[in-house]
Amino acid sequence: IPTITNNQNITIIPNPFTDQTTLILQGIYHNPTLFIYNLLGQEVQSIQVGTNKQITIQRNQLSSGMYFYKLIEDNKEVLGIGKMIVE
C-alpha cells in the first residue's frame, strides 16, 4: 500500500469555486501531475504541474458538483488526494 503524504502541503483556494481555482504546493516536488476525477472515478482532467508551486485550474467543461483530485509524482508516488467543489 503506497504511503500518501499529508495534504497540508496542498492547498486549493477558493474551494468551492465557479470559474477557476488555484492549487498551491509547499515543499519540493519533481514533475508532479494533477489528476481530477468525477464521482464515478472517471478521469476528467489532468494537468502537468512540473516545477510550478502554484497553478490555476480552469473550470472548462466541469459541471457543477464534487470532484476528487490526486497529485502524483513521477507517475507513481501519490503526494496527496482531496476533493474540490465546482459551483
Side-chain angles (χ1 to χ4, degrees):
I1 298 175
T3 303
I4 297 175
T5 305
N6 190 337
N7 281 350
Q8 292 177 348
N9 295 331
I10 302 170
T11 306
I12 294 186
I13 299 174
N15 190 14
F17 69 98
T18 52
D19 295 322
Q20 66 182 26
T21 189
T22 302
L23 176 95
I24 302 168
L25 299 174
Q26 297 175 13
I28 298 172
Y29 302 104
H30 304 284
N31 201 30
T33 302
L34 178 71
F35 295 94
I36 300 173
Y37 302 92
N38 63 19
L39 291 177
L40 299 175
Q42 300 164 324
E43 181 183 319
V44 294
Q45 196 172 43
S46 66
I47 302 168
Q48 191 67 35
V49 177
T51 58
N52 298 318
K53 294 288 185 178
Q54 191 168 302
I55 61 166
T56 300
I57 302 168
Q58 300 293 333
R59 179 180 183 156
N60 294 331
Q61 303 299 319
L62 296 178
S63 301
S64 296
M66 184 168 42
Y67 293 86
F68 296 98
Y69 68 84
K70 180 167 50 174
L71 189 67
I72 298 180
E73 187 171 49
D74 295 328
N75 291 322
K76 57 184 175 188
E77 182 182 352
V78 178
L79 300 174
I81 56 175
K83 61 184 170 184
M84 58 189 200
I85 299 172
V86 178
E87 292 184 323

